Structure formats: structure tokens, C-alpha cells
Coordinates of all heavy atoms in Angstrom, one line a residue:
K141 N -17.3 3.8 -0.8 CA -18.1 4.4 0.2 C -17.9 3.7 1.5 O -18.2 4.3 2.6 CB -19.6 4.2 -0.3 CG -20.0 5.1 -1.4 CD -21.4 5.0 -1.8 CE -21.8 6.0 -2.9 NZ -23.3 5.9 -3.2
H142 N -17.5 2.5 1.6 CA -17.4 1.8 2.9 C -16.0 2.0 3.5 O -15.8 1.6 4.6 CB -17.5 0.3 2.7 CG -16.5 -0.3 1.8 ND1 -16.4 -0.2 0.4 CD2 -15.4 -1.1 2.1 CE1 -15.4 -0.8 -0.1 NE2 -14.7 -1.4 0.9
H143 N -15.1 2.7 2.8 CA -13.8 3.0 3.4 C -13.9 4.3 4.3 O -14.7 5.2 4.1 CB -12.8 3.3 2.3 CG -12.5 2.1 1.4 ND1 -12.7 2.0 0.1 CD2 -12.0 0.9 1.8 CE1 -12.4 0.8 -0.4 NE2 -11.9 0.1 0.6
L144 N -13.0 4.3 5.3 CA -13.0 5.4 6.2 C -12.1 6.6 5.7 O -12.5 7.7 5.8 CB -12.5 5.0 7.6 CG -12.5 6.0 8.7 CD1 -13.9 6.4 9.0 CD2 -11.8 5.5 10.0
V145 N -11.0 6.2 5.1 CA -10.1 7.3 4.6 C -9.6 6.8 3.2 O -9.4 5.6 3.0 CB -8.8 7.5 5.5 CG1 -9.3 8.2 6.8 CG2 -8.0 6.3 5.7
P146 N -9.4 7.7 2.3 CA -8.9 7.3 1.0 C -7.5 7.0 0.9 O -6.7 7.3 1.9 CB -9.2 8.6 0.1 CG -9.1 9.7 1.1 CD -9.6 9.2 2.4
S147 N -7.0 6.3 -0.1 CA -5.7 5.9 -0.2 C -4.8 7.0 -0.9 O -3.6 6.8 -1.1 CB -5.6 4.6 -1.1 OG -6.2 4.8 -2.3
W148 N -5.4 8.1 -1.3 CA -4.7 9.2 -2.0 C -4.6 10.3 -1.0 O -5.3 10.4 0.0 CB -5.5 9.6 -3.3 CG -6.9 10.1 -2.9 CD1 -8.0 9.4 -2.7 CD2 -7.2 11.5 -2.8 NE1 -9.0 10.2 -2.4 CE2 -8.6 11.5 -2.5 CE3 -6.5 12.7 -2.8 CZ2 -9.3 12.7 -2.2 CZ3 -7.2 13.8 -2.6 CH2 -8.6 13.8 -2.3
Q149 N -3.8 11.3 -1.4 CA -3.6 12.5 -0.6 C -3.7 13.7 -1.5 O -3.0 13.7 -2.6 CB -2.2 12.4 0.1 CG -2.0 13.4 1.2 CD -2.9 13.0 2.4 OE1 -3.3 11.9 2.5 NE2 -3.1 14.0 3.3
P150 N -4.4 14.7 -1.2 CA -4.6 15.9 -2.0 C -3.2 16.6 -2.2 O -2.3 16.5 -1.3 CB -5.6 16.8 -1.3 CG -6.3 15.9 -0.4 CD -5.3 14.8 0.0
A151 N -3.1 17.4 -3.3 CA -1.9 18.1 -3.5 C -1.7 19.1 -2.3 O -2.6 19.7 -1.8 CB -2.0 18.9 -4.8
G152 N -0.4 19.2 -1.9 CA -0.1 20.1 -0.8 C 0.0 19.5 0.5 O 0.5 20.0 1.5
T153 N -0.6 18.2 0.6 CA -0.6 17.6 1.9 C 0.2 16.3 1.9 O 0.4 15.6 2.9 CB -2.0 17.2 2.4 OG1 -2.6 16.4 1.4 CG2 -2.8 18.5 2.5
G154 N 0.7 15.9 0.7 CA 1.4 14.7 0.6 C 1.5 14.3 -0.9 O 1.1 15.0 -1.8
V155 N 2.0 13.1 -1.1 CA 2.2 12.6 -2.5 C 1.0 11.7 -2.9 O 0.7 10.7 -2.1 CB 3.5 11.8 -2.7 CG1 3.7 11.2 -4.1 CG2 4.7 12.6 -2.3
Q156 N 0.4 12.0 -4.0 CA -0.7 11.2 -4.4 C -0.2 9.9 -5.2 O 0.6 10.1 -6.1 CB -1.6 12.0 -5.3 CG -2.9 11.3 -5.8 CD -3.8 12.2 -6.5 OE1 -3.9 13.4 -6.2 NE2 -4.5 11.7 -7.5
P157 N -0.7 8.8 -4.7 CA -0.2 7.5 -5.4 C -0.5 7.5 -6.9 O -1.5 8.1 -7.3 CB -1.0 6.4 -4.7 CG -1.4 7.0 -3.4 CD -1.6 8.5 -3.6
E158 N 0.4 7.0 -7.7 CA 0.2 6.9 -9.1 C -1.0 6.2 -9.5 O -1.3 5.1 -9.0 CB 1.4 6.3 -9.8 CG 1.4 6.3 -11.3 CD 2.6 5.7 -11.9 OE1 3.6 5.4 -11.1 OE2 2.6 5.6 -13.1
G159 N -1.8 6.7 -10.4 CA -3.0 6.1 -10.8 C -4.2 6.2 -9.9 O -5.3 5.7 -10.2
A160 N -4.0 7.0 -8.8 CA -5.1 7.2 -7.9 C -6.2 8.0 -8.6 O -6.0 8.9 -9.3 CB -4.7 7.8 -6.6
R161 N -7.5 7.7 -8.3 CA -8.6 8.4 -8.8 C -8.7 9.7 -8.1 O -8.7 9.8 -6.9 CB -9.9 7.6 -8.6 CG -11.1 8.2 -9.2 CD -12.3 7.2 -9.2 NE -12.5 6.7 -7.8 CZ -13.4 7.2 -7.0 NH1 -14.1 8.3 -7.3 NH2 -13.7 6.7 -5.8
A162 N -8.9 10.8 -8.9 CA -9.0 12.1 -8.3 C -10.4 12.2 -7.6 O -11.4 12.0 -8.2 CB -8.9 13.2 -9.3
V163 N -10.4 12.6 -6.3 CA -11.6 12.8 -5.6 C -11.6 14.1 -4.9 O -10.5 14.5 -4.4 CB -11.7 11.7 -4.5 CG1 -13.0 11.9 -3.7 CG2 -11.7 10.3 -5.1
R164 N -12.7 14.8 -5.0 CA -12.7 16.2 -4.4 C -12.6 16.1 -2.9 O -13.2 15.3 -2.2 CB -14.0 16.9 -4.8 CG -14.1 18.3 -4.3 CD -15.3 19.0 -4.9 NE -16.5 18.3 -4.4 CZ -17.2 18.7 -3.3 NH1 -16.7 19.7 -2.5 NH2 -18.3 18.1 -2.9
K165 N -11.7 17.0 -2.4 CA -11.5 17.1 -0.9 C -12.8 17.5 -0.2 O -13.5 18.4 -0.6 CB -10.4 18.1 -0.6 CG -10.2 18.2 0.9 CD -9.1 19.3 1.2 CE -8.8 19.5 2.7 NZ -7.8 20.5 2.9
P166 N -13.2 16.7 0.8 CA -14.5 17.1 1.5 C -14.4 18.5 2.1 O -13.4 19.0 2.6 CB -14.6 16.1 2.6 CG -13.7 14.9 2.2 CD -12.6 15.6 1.4
Q167 N -15.6 19.2 2.0 CA -15.6 20.6 2.5 C -16.4 20.6 3.8 O -17.6 20.1 3.8 CB -16.3 21.5 1.5 CG -15.6 21.6 0.1 CD -14.2 22.2 0.3 OE1 -14.1 23.2 0.9 NE2 -13.2 21.6 -0.3
P168 N -15.8 21.1 4.9 CA -16.6 21.1 6.1 C -17.7 22.1 6.1 O -17.6 23.1 5.4 CB -15.5 21.5 7.1 CG -14.5 22.3 6.3 CD -14.5 21.6 5.0
F169 N -18.8 21.7 6.8 CA -20.0 22.6 6.8 C -19.7 23.7 7.8 O -18.8 23.6 8.6 CB -21.2 21.8 7.2 CG -22.5 22.4 6.9 CD1 -22.7 23.1 5.7 CD2 -23.6 22.4 7.8 CE1 -23.9 23.6 5.3 CE2 -24.8 23.0 7.5 CZ -24.9 23.6 6.2
R170 N -20.5 24.7 7.9 CA -20.2 25.9 8.7 C -20.4 25.6 10.2 O -19.8 26.3 11.0 CB -21.0 27.1 8.2 CG -20.5 27.6 6.9 CD -21.3 28.9 6.5 NE -20.9 29.4 5.2 CZ -21.5 30.5 4.7 NH1 -22.5 31.1 5.3 NH2 -21.0 30.9 3.5
T171 N -21.3 24.8 10.5 CA -21.6 24.5 11.9 C -20.6 23.6 12.5 O -19.8 23.0 11.8 CB -23.0 23.9 12.1 OG1 -23.1 22.7 11.3 CG2 -24.1 24.8 11.6
Q172 N -20.7 23.4 13.8 CA -19.7 22.6 14.5 C -19.8 21.1 14.0 O -18.8 20.4 13.9 CB -19.9 22.6 16.0 CG -19.4 24.0 16.5 CD -19.5 24.0 18.0 OE1 -20.5 23.6 18.6 NE2 -18.4 24.4 18.7
H173 N -21.0 20.7 13.7 CA -21.2 19.3 13.2 C -22.1 19.4 12.0 O -23.0 20.3 11.9 CB -21.8 18.4 14.2 CG -20.9 18.1 15.4 ND1 -20.1 17.0 15.5 CD2 -20.6 18.9 16.5 CE1 -19.5 17.1 16.6 NE2 -19.7 18.2 17.3
T174 N -22.0 18.5 11.1 CA -22.8 18.5 9.9 C -23.8 17.4 9.9 O -23.4 16.2 10.1 CB -22.0 18.4 8.6 OG1 -21.1 19.5 8.5 CG2 -22.9 18.4 7.4
G175 N -25.1 17.7 9.9 CA -26.1 16.7 9.8 C -26.4 16.3 8.4 O -26.8 17.1 7.6
L176 N -26.1 15.1 8.0 CA -26.4 14.6 6.7 C -27.5 13.6 6.6 O -27.6 12.8 7.6 CB -25.1 14.0 6.1 CG -23.9 14.9 6.0 CD1 -22.7 14.1 5.4 CD2 -24.2 16.1 5.0
P177 N -28.3 13.6 5.6 CA -29.2 12.5 5.4 C -28.5 11.2 5.3 O -27.3 11.2 5.0 CB -30.0 12.8 4.1 CG -29.7 14.3 4.0 CD -28.4 14.6 4.5
P178 N -29.1 10.0 5.6 CA -28.4 8.7 5.4 C -27.8 8.5 4.0 O -28.2 9.2 3.1 CB -29.5 7.7 5.7 CG -30.5 8.5 6.5 CD -30.5 9.9 6.0
L179 N -26.9 7.6 4.0 CA -26.3 7.2 2.7 C -25.4 8.3 2.0 O -25.3 8.3 0.8 CB -27.3 6.7 1.7 CG -28.2 5.5 2.3 CD1 -29.2 5.1 1.3 CD2 -27.3 4.3 2.7
G180 N -24.9 9.2 2.9 CA -24.0 10.2 2.3 C -24.5 11.3 1.5 O -23.8 11.9 0.6
G181 N -25.8 11.6 1.6 CA -26.4 12.7 0.9 C -25.8 14.0 1.2 O -25.1 14.1 2.2
K182 N -26.0 15.0 0.4 CA -25.4 16.3 0.7 C -26.2 17.0 1.9 O -27.4 16.9 2.0 CB -25.5 17.2 -0.5 CG -24.6 16.8 -1.7 CD -24.7 17.7 -2.8 CE -23.8 17.3 -4.0 NZ -23.9 18.2 -5.1
P183 N -25.4 17.8 2.7 CA -26.1 18.5 3.8 C -27.0 19.6 3.2 O -26.7 20.2 2.2 CB -24.9 19.2 4.5 CG -23.8 19.3 3.5 CD -24.0 18.1 2.6
R184 N -28.1 19.8 4.0 CA -29.0 20.9 3.6 C -29.2 21.9 4.7 O -29.3 21.5 5.9 CB -30.3 20.3 3.2 CG -30.3 19.3 2.0 CD -31.6 18.7 1.8 NE -31.9 17.8 2.9 CZ -33.1 17.1 3.0 NH1 -34.0 17.3 2.1 NH2 -33.3 16.3 4.0

């Protein structure tokens, strides 16, 4: 959670390092900016 970018790369954008944990690619919200509650909660 404290990292800015992951060490893996999704399929189609690069090679995913061996043994890397699969993490779902973040989905952008529809507005220009997404307001999220603190601590990384989901946008509402």
C-alpha cells in the first residue's frame, strides 16, 4: 500500500516478472478526478 507503482506489468503492456503477485489493474473513475475516502477505500 505504501508503494507508488507496482513491480509487475499487466499483460499487453510489458513482461510480468516471474512470481509476481497478480493485482487487478486500477480502473479510472468516470469523472476527471476520483475522490476516494482515506486509506484507499473504494470511490462512491
